[in-house]
Amino acid sequence: MAGTIIADTLTHSTAGSVTTDYVVNGSAKAWVNFNGTGTIAARDSFNVTSLDDNGTGNYDVNFTNAMGNADFSSQVTAGYSADTGRYGENLAYNASFATVGARNSSGTSVDNAGIAVTISGDLA
Amino acid sequence: MSTILVDNLTGKTSAGSITVTSEGGAATQSLQQGLIKVWASIKGTGTVSTRDSVNQSSVTDHGTGAYSSNFTSAMSNDDFVGSISNTLDDGVNSNGQSSCIENNSTDPEFTTTTARVVTENTAYNNNDSPYVGITVIGDLA
C-alpha cells in the first residue's frame, strides 16, 4: 500500500531545506526530445501524449495532463546541423499544447532532427 | 506547518516513482520525472570553467564556442532534453547571440554521460561565450 505524506518543508541533514511549493512549482511539467524530420516521433518524453506536424519546422507538443493556463514557460532548443536548422522557438501556448518551431541560420523554418522542449508552470 | 527531516526520498511501491499533486489539484505527476538532472553555469571564455553546477563532474572545451557538460551520475539513455542559453552581447563582439545543441549528423550529440553544445555569434559562427547555462532533464540511470 502506498503512503501519502503531507508536508510543507523538506530538510536534508546537510544540504539544507526546501519548502515543498518549490518542489511542486519548480518541477518541469512536461518535456520531450523528438525527431522533427520525416514522420516526426518522440525519442523520450514526460507528460506528452502526442506530437503534431503542422508543416515545415512547426510542431504542436500535446500534454497528457493539461496546464492550468496558457501562461507557462517553454524552452525550445534545436539541434545544430550545417545544412538544416539550428534554433528552437516558441510560437504559441495553449493549456493543452505548446506550438514550437525550428529555424535555420537564415531565419527560415526548417525541420530539425533534434528538438528539445521543456515546459514549466502550473498544472491544472 | 510541517517539516520532514530526511536525506533520501524513495517511493514505496516503486523506488524510482514518487507522485506529487499538481498546483490545481486535478492531476498528479512523477516527482522524479520533473526534476532537473544536471545544471551548470559555465564560463566559456579563456580557460573554460564551471561557476556552479549540480551533477556535473567537469566541462570540456572543444574549441571555439563548443563545450561538453560531463555528468557525475549518468543518464539512463541519450534521449534526454538538453536546454542551453548564453550571453546575448558582451558589448564588444556581439558575443553569443544564439546557441544550440551540436549535431554533427542527424541526432543531438548527447551520450548518457555528456551533452555537447555550441554558442554562436550574430554571424552564426562559433563564438566563445562568457555565460553558458545548461540544464538537462530526462531519466537518470
Side-chain angles (χ1 to χ4, degrees):
Chain A
M1 174 180 170
T4 299
I5 295 175
I6 299 174
D8 295 325
T9 305
L10 294 173
T11 301
H12 188 275
S13 61
T14 59
S17 297
V18 63
T19 55
T20 50
D21 56 342
Y22 279 91
V23 175
V24 176
N25 294 325
S27 299
K29 298 307 174 359
W31 56 260
V32 61
N33 174 329
F34 69 94
N35 183 345
T37 63
T39 301
I40 65 172
R43 295 186 178 90
D44 199 0
S45 68
F46 170 60
N47 196 32
V48 172
T49 184
S50 63
L51 301 167
D52 293 330
D53 187 347
N54 300 324
T56 303
N58 188 306
Y59 316 92
D60 286 341
V61 176
N62 300 300
F63 309 140
T64 305
N65 290 315
M67 302 298 288
N69 54 55
D71 298 329
F72 53 83
S73 169
S74 172
Q75 289 184 304
V76 185
T77 306
Y80 170 90
S81 177
D83 56 350
T84 60
R86 296 187 180 190
Y87 310 110
E89 61 178 347
N90 295 306
L91 296 174
Y93 295 157
N94 182 286
S96 298
F97 63 88
T99 303
V100 302
R103 294 181 185 268
N104 63 16
S105 59
S106 299
T108 302
S109 293
V110 291
D111 288 341
N112 191 291
I115 299 177
V117 180
T118 305
I119 305 294
S120 300
D122 298 335
L123 279 174
Chain B
M1 177 176 170
S2 56
T3 300
I4 297 175
L5 305 178
V6 63
D7 290 340
N8 297 288
L9 293 173
T10 301
K12 182 176 181 181
T13 303
S14 176
S17 179
I18 297 172
T19 57
V20 293
T21 301
S22 67
E23 292 86 347
T28 59
Q29 74 161 30
S30 166
L31 172 63
Q32 284 88 344
Q33 287 281 283
L35 295 178
I36 292 171
K37 302 306 178 0
V38 182
W39 63 259
S41 172
I42 294 167
K43 172 182 172 291
T45 56
T47 301
V48 173
S49 61
T50 302
R51 294 186 175 86
D52 199 1
S53 67
V54 164
N55 196 31
Q56 178 183 275
S57 59
S58 63
V59 58
T60 303
D61 185 353
H62 294 290
T64 304
Y67 316 92
S68 283
S69 172
N70 305 305
F71 312 150
T72 303
S73 295
M75 304 297 286
S76 66
N77 58 54
D78 60 4
D79 296 331
F80 53 82
V81 167
S83 300
I84 174 177
S85 61
N86 64 354
T87 311
L88 178 63
D89 193 338
D90 66 357
V92 178
N93 298 315
S94 294
N95 203 358
Q97 180 214 31
S98 53
S99 52
C100 50
I101 302 163
E102 185 155 4
N103 180 359
N104 288 331
S105 55
T106 58
D107 295 324
E109 191 159 314
F110 295 160
T111 72
T112 56
T113 55
T114 63
R116 182 163 168 159
V117 301
V118 297
T119 58
E120 298 183 335
N121 61 16
T122 54
Y124 303 103
N125 296 315
N126 279 27
N127 200 359
D128 286 344
S129 177
Y131 291 92
V132 183
I134 297 173
T135 60
V136 170
I137 296 181
D139 301 334
L140 275 176

